[in-house]
Amino acid sequence: MSSFPLTRMRRMRRTSQLRALVAETQLVVQDLVAPLFVREGLESLVEIPSLPGVFQHSISSLLEEIQYLVSLGVNAVTLFGIPAEKDGQGSCAWEQDGVIQVATKAIKDNFGDQVVVITDLCLDEYISHGHCGILDNHGQVDNDATLEVYKKIAQTQAQAGSDIIAPSGMMDGQVLAIRKGLDEVGFSNLPILAYSAKYASSLYGPFRDAVNVEVQGGGDRKGYQQDYKNSKEAMIEIELDIQEGADMVMVKPALAYLDIISKASHRFDVPVAAYHVSGEYAMIKAAAERGWIDGLAVTLEHLGAIKRAGASFILTYSASEVAEALGE
Ligand code: PBG
């Protein structure tokens, strides 16, 4: 017998059933969005060395992967395209038969409304210098010129059958430009998920391997992505995107930015998504491979914490692994 009264919490921790009864948050399979990479001209899938278990897909391996995800109950994917050729304008990003457009159409032809296709809208995967926008004569990202291009990309992604357009380039005014572009071609019912609070993070390294992107001259994106020292600007960015017409907003990365997710979800009445990014996934995989941590347990803890912070849904490379575990 304890000499002092036990707390209510302690009494409710005794068995896993009691703990489940009073759990404040749940991670469910509907929370998961799987990021998928599709590469033009690929015959069969190629594993990304810094993202074990994640692949650059051909169209047919992409469809197989989605079939597997659907069998686990994961019904949402976010697509990134890797073109066969990159150029200075990123022109393959907006072609009707561009890699992401073709992949989107193939998914829709095969799965219809069963799978929500979120198309990432950015230029870095398509452009030779690796920045998220068009460069001006001084080598700086030209915000306005980039908006014109984003609008064209949104239109062809919509025509290909995208369910949600997700601009990730952090250009000012991108949501408004895309909203107008979509409305002009008859897609006023297509939602926009804005990567509103996107930090200039060192956790995107493996992603850049996945999409074969290197910023020219060893440069970075600190000129347009947010400084991790700040949280107030994230609230302004989100507010502006909502005013411009964003239907959902995203915070990225997730784990080091739980304060931002928490603040945003309290402050704004739109769904707040979180992106558990490539570096977050790779760290778990690397440590688990050495036997230093239990990879699945840490993943569930990460994603559970992201939910607790207030995220409505989570983009995660662990989607299939977690769905398998949740289904057991
Ligand atoms: C930009 C984009 C990036 C990611 C998603 N969209 C990289 C960047 O801004 O450099 C990173 C996602 C991840 O690390 O998993 N198109």
Side-chain angles (χ1 to χ4, degrees), residues 80 120 122 124-125 132 168 195 198 203-204 207-208 221 225 252 275-279 317:
F80 296 94
D120 185 84
C122 199
D124 63 331
E125 297 93 353
C132 297
S168 66
Y195 284 67
K198 176 168 172 183
L203 289 160
Y204 306 147
F207 173 90
R208 293 185 190 158
R221 305 196 200 293
Q225 298 181 351
K252 176 180 166 196
Y275 199 146
H276 187 248
V277 300
S278 59
Y317 300 97

Side-chain angles (χ1 to χ4, degrees), residues 1-323:
M1 271 298 273
S2 174
S3 57
F4 53 90
L6 288 177
T7 59
R8 172 188 67 81
M9 288 79 75
R10 182 63 185 275
R11 276 193 286 275
M12 291 305 287
R13 277 178 204 141
R14 193 172 54 81
T15 66
S16 67
Q17 289 76 2
L18 284 169
R19 292 192 293 273
L21 201 60
V22 295
E24 292 173 29
T25 54
Q26 309 284 353
L27 181 68
V28 293
V29 73
Q30 289 81 359
D31 295 327
L32 307 169
V33 179
L36 298 174
F37 301 100
V38 57
R39 183 166 153 197
E40 193 172 21
L42 217 56
E43 296 282 317
S44 58
L45 74 186
V46 177
E47 190 166 22
I48 300 150
S50 50
L51 289 174
V54 181
F55 301 85
Q56 289 183 337
H57 283 286
S58 64
I59 300 286
S60 67
S61 72
L62 180 77
L63 296 174
E64 279 170 33
E65 176 83 17
I66 294 174
Q67 183 65 61
Y68 181 58
L69 286 163
V70 167
S71 76
L72 294 168
V74 177
N75 292 317
V77 301
T78 185
L79 269 192
F80 296 94
I82 307 147
E85 305 273 345
K86 304 187 190 225
D87 63 26
Q89 303 299 307
S91 51
C92 294
W94 67 81
E95 284 166 357
Q96 305 270 2
D97 60 352
V99 59
I100 198 167
Q101 288 80 1
V102 169
T104 301
K105 186 162 184 313
I107 300 170
K108 285 286 124 182
D109 287 348
N110 279 272
F111 298 95
D113 285 341
Q114 189 174 18
V115 173
V116 175
V117 177
I118 304 173
T119 46
D120 185 84
L121 190 163
C122 199
L123 273 173
D124 63 331
E125 297 93 353
Y126 301 88
I127 213 157
S128 39
H129 51 67
H131 275 293
C132 297
I134 304 288
L135 298 186
D136 65 17
N137 297 335
H138 309 287
Q140 300 291 316
V141 174
D142 183 335
N143 197 85
D144 287 5
T146 303
L147 295 187
E148 281 307 305
V149 176
Y150 280 6
K151 185 172 133 179
K152 286 196 282 186
I153 305 174
Q155 291 174 335
T156 56
Q157 289 185 350
Q159 285 153 351
S162 172
D163 291 298
I164 299 176
I165 305 283
S168 66
M170 286 295 281
M171 294 301 129
D172 283 355
Q174 63 182 14
V175 174
L176 184 63
I178 290 168
R179 182 72 273 154
K180 281 190 181 157
L182 291 172
D183 294 352
E184 272 170 26
V185 291
F187 287 94
S188 46
N189 63 347
L190 202 59
I192 297 175
L193 165 60
Y195 284 67
S196 304
K198 176 168 172 183
Y199 283 84
S201 172
S202 299
L203 289 160
Y204 306 147
F207 173 90
R208 293 185 190 158
D209 295 342
V211 293
N212 306 342
V213 167
E214 203 176 323
V215 184
Q216 197 175 53
D220 58 43
R221 305 196 200 293
K222 292 183 180 163
Y224 42 98
Q225 298 181 351
Q226 290 175 39
D227 185 342
Y228 66 78
K229 300 187 184 80
N230 304 331
S231 77
K232 289 182 181 162
E233 63 178 303
M235 298 305 119
I236 300 173
E237 294 277 8
I238 292 172
E239 192 165 352
L240 287 171
D241 280 357
I242 294 172
Q243 281 167 9
E244 286 181 27
D247 302 282
M248 293 161 281
V249 297
M250 182 144 55
V251 175
K252 176 180 166 196
L255 213 59
Y257 300 87
L258 293 181
D259 57 327
I260 310 296
I261 297 171
S262 172
K263 252 195 197 171
S265 67
H266 282 105
R267 197 145 150 178
F268 301 106
D269 295 326
V270 301
V272 175
Y275 199 146
H276 187 248
V277 300
S278 59
E280 300 178 276
Y281 173 86
M283 288 194 289
I284 296 176
K285 288 290 166 193
E289 199 179 283
R290 293 184 172 202
W292 289 354
I293 60 169
D294 174 340
L296 177 61
V298 172
T299 301
L300 291 170
E301 187 176 332
H302 277 193
L303 302 188
I306 295 165
K307 274 299 294 282
R308 192 194 65 233
S312 304
F313 57 96
I314 308 171
L315 285 75
T316 170
Y317 300 97
S318 306
S320 57
E321 195 183 328
V322 168

